[in-house]
Amino acid sequence: MAELVDFSSESFLRDPQKGVALLRSSGPVVATKFPILGRLWVTTTYEAAARVLKDSTTFTLRKEGGSLVGLPWWMPKLIRALANNMLTMDEPDHTRLRDIVDEAFRRRAVMDMETHIRAIADRLADELFAAGSPADLVQRYARMLPLAVICELLGLPSADRPKFIAWANSIANLTSAFGFLRLMGGMMKMRRYLKGRLQVAREQGGEGLIAELVRVEKEGGRITPDEMVSMVFLLLGAGSETTTHLISGSVLELLKDPARRDWLAADWSRAGLAVEEFLRFVSPVQFSKPRYVRHDVDIEGVKLKKGDRVMAMIVAANLDPGSNECPERLDLERRPNRHLSFGTGIHFCLGHQLARIEGICALQALFTRWPGLKLAVDPSQIHWRRRPGIRMIAELPVVAGA
């Protein structure tokens, strides 16, 4: 029964609730087949997902020999090098790298950026229809805001931003062999570029998170040059891609029901509460990275064997009626709101506060500037990219409205 769910199908990505319910009816952990990765287990409840994410001794990202669980043997060497970052590390390497970036983030005072982020969002909202109407909100707004913020945070020149837009689009378009080849070319160029920016920071110093990472590197020497490149690559991707889909998914839900938009616009102090619910309901990141089962274990009555692979299904945890009342309903006033959109355990998302701030600023700036914003097509014509594991709207055409 579990194999009836196609995680890359548009029907699942459009409305995951039916597929999640089907999986959950088979148990709290079910054996299934996942694109590229093959057969493995996925969790279907909040508690099972939280256990897999928290128990980093039993469920590890690396096998006994140190190879990465979620990376097939045929992946190119470049992919393997860039995947060697703190997001794919077990202890003690995870803490070593996490401490370095935590220190750099503290020095940059991320929480003090809200006013500046709102200014960027205001500017992008003003320019939404500069190239005509209807405008694709994904490309013109939802992608541009997090990219602008993370580039400034890292200290990357604004003139180089088209490089990152092209790179982000190559990831979003990864739905075919041709898309994979384009991605490889883009990643090679990006890796060379980031190595160059790190070298400039080593020689000349500067402002931004890259310069802070270099200072930490010089002070402690706890990170290799290749790990530095992978770290910046991770921050650039993780700091933009998932927030793009949080913003576009949130806007879609508000445009589908103008009453919700009007409720939010009437009092923007509610925006933090609303974004928390969008994180749960939209669930841009649907699965964790696969884990390796270190020894035989029982999860809520389901027995997993040593050597099995398991993924925490974030979207299923967020839609678990055992954790949230009427989880199938979008409730912008939901309290409490138990979701795992930022994960939990040692890999809890480093940029969770930044993503929340960007989500709030994006919605407020957009609907303040364009209070009559409308979809240019019927909601049934909105399509999702067939990328298993990430829920991303392909295009979101909008018009200014009255």
Side-chain angles (χ1 to χ4, degrees), residues 78 82 147 150-151 154 156-157 160-171 182-198 210 228-237 240:
L78 173 63
L82 291 174
L147 266 177
I150 195 62
C151 285
L154 287 169
L156 297 172
D160 292 342
R161 206 154 295 163
K163 291 185 175 72
F164 313 125
I165 295 171
W167 172 71
N169 286 335
S170 69
I171 292 179
R182 287 184 60 190
L183 174 65
M184 285 298 299
M187 289 179 77
M188 289 174 66
K189 293 177 182 177
M190 187 59 62
R191 187 167 186 265
R192 285 197 299 268
Y193 172 82
L194 294 176
K195 287 179 72 172
R197 297 308 308 178
L198 281 163
I210 286 179
M228 283 284 281
V229 174
S230 296
M231 177 79 78
V232 176
F233 194 88
L234 170 66
L235 293 173
L236 183 59
S240 62

Side-chain angles (χ1 to χ4, degrees), residues 279-280 283 314-320 324 327 338-341:
L279 282 162
R280 184 196 71 84
S283 289
I314 306 299
V315 63
N318 291 351
L319 292 172
D320 185 356
N324 289 294
R338 300 185 71 206
H339 68 74
L340 290 176
S341 292

Side-chain angles (χ1 to χ4, degrees), residues 138-166:
V138 176
Q139 290 297 333
R140 296 283 305 171
Y141 190 73
R143 185 172 299 289
M144 297 299 290
L145 176 60
L147 266 177
V149 172
I150 195 62
C151 285
E152 288 198 13
L153 184 62
L154 287 169
L156 297 172
S158 58
D160 292 342
R161 206 154 295 163
K163 291 185 175 72
F164 313 125
I165 295 171

Side-chain angles (χ1 to χ4, degrees), residues 98 111 279 342 348-358:
R98 176 88 179 213
M111 294 303 294
L279 282 162
F342 293 119
F348 183 75
C349 178
L350 177 70
H352 66 102
Q353 292 293 1
L354 185 62
R356 288 179 166 108
I357 292 170
E358 290 177 1

Side-chain angles (χ1 to χ4, degrees), residues 224-279:
T224 68
D226 284 345
E227 286 175 335
M228 283 284 281
V229 174
S230 296
M231 177 79 78
V232 176
F233 194 88
L234 170 66
L235 293 173
L236 183 59
S240 62
E241 189 65 15
T242 55
T243 310
T244 293
H245 309 308
L246 169 65
I247 293 170
S248 57
S250 302
V251 171
L252 174 60
E253 295 300 332
L254 291 174
L255 295 183
K256 283 164 57 177
D257 187 348
R260 288 195 180 104
R261 177 197 62 197
D262 295 343
W263 173 85
L264 184 57
D267 183 359
W268 283 106
S269 68
R270 302 163 170 167
L273 198 62
V275 166
E276 215 62 33
E277 176 67 347
F278 286 131
L279 282 162

